[in-house]
Amino acid sequence: MSQISLQRPHAMGPFPALLPLRRAVRLLSIVALWVSGLGLLVMTGCVAWQVIGRYLLNDSPSWTEPFSLLLMSWFILLGAAVGVREGNHLGFEIGLHVAPPPLRRAMAVLTDLLVMLFGGAMAYYGWQLAMGTWSANMAGIALPQGLDYLPLVGGGALIALFSFEKLLAHLTSETVADVPLHGEHTVE
């Protein structure tokens, strides 16, 4: 997480009433990151148990692979949502760097709207997939197949929420921040 988001919440422009939303979303982001990290650790333990069962005990547990894949879906999508909030995803920043402030604000708002729409669609269609496959069981583990699609719902909802927070920040900010180029870009 960025130093700014962990240190203190910043006011969203001239609207201090939005501070509770900012604090709640920041807390949700921190929880999502910790759950994601815990999921990675548990998945690593499941894969280790799979290797021990297969090669040392000669009795491979059938539940470890589908459970590990389910955990991986969760920690990838939760981590991706946190990345959206922190602005750590790939982007074409050179366009923002050279754009004048009014165009830069419009580009940021459009980006936030598109990402919010994408997250909402991910959550909606993930829910449709989960409900449509809930009656079947996963192969190798006695859990509903629809659980495989719930990470799309959770991750999509968080992506939409975090994008909404960024949209509010862009719309209520009195100034448009400069977009620095990161590091030296020299050709030798």
Side-chain angles (χ1 to χ4, degrees):
M1 302 189 96
S2 71
Q3 286 298 98
I4 292 172
S5 68
L6 290 177
Q7 289 173 349
R8 60 185 166 82
H10 293 280
M12 292 182 159
F15 298 102
L18 294 175
L19 270 177
L21 171 69
R22 185 81 175 209
R23 287 186 182 122
V25 170
R26 186 182 69 184
L27 177 64
L28 192 56
S29 176
I30 292 169
V31 168
L33 192 61
W34 276 96
V35 168
S36 183
L38 181 63
L40 178 61
L41 290 174
V42 172
M43 187 201 76
T44 303
C46 289
V47 171
W49 181 245
Q50 174 76 22
V51 170
I52 290 169
R54 180 177 294 160
Y55 294 109
L56 294 179
L57 303 176
N58 203 22
D59 184 23
S60 184
S62 63
W63 61 269
T64 55
E65 184 179 348
F67 189 66
S68 294
L69 290 172
L70 180 62
L71 287 173
M72 186 169 54
S73 297
W74 272 109
F75 73 72
I76 286 172
L77 289 166
L78 290 176
V82 172
V84 165
R85 181 174 190 269
E86 298 298 323
N88 291 335
H89 279 271
L90 294 174
F92 187 63
E93 292 179 348
I94 192 72
L96 288 172
H97 179 72
V98 299
L103 180 58
R104 196 174 324 135
R105 182 187 305 265
M107 292 166 72
V109 166
L110 179 63
T111 299
D112 295 337
L113 285 170
L114 289 173
V115 173
M116 193 169 63
L117 180 66
F118 175 78
M122 228 171 79
Y124 175 77
Y125 290 110
W127 181 259
Q128 297 297 317
L129 282 168
M131 292 304 99
T133 58
W134 198 265
S135 61
N137 278 341
M138 289 185 203
I141 191 168
L143 291 173
Q145 181 68 42
L147 283 176
D148 271 340
Y149 301 107
L150 287 182
L152 288 171
V153 177
L158 286 178
I159 287 171
L161 176 64
F162 294 161
S163 295
F164 179 67
E165 177 201 23
K166 288 177 76 171
L167 175 67
L168 288 177
H170 285 126
L171 290 174
T172 60
S173 176
E174 294 174 356
T175 61
V176 179
D178 287 331
V179 179
L181 291 176
H182 299 287
E184 286 281 322
H185 295 283
T186 60
V187 178
E188 297 185 77

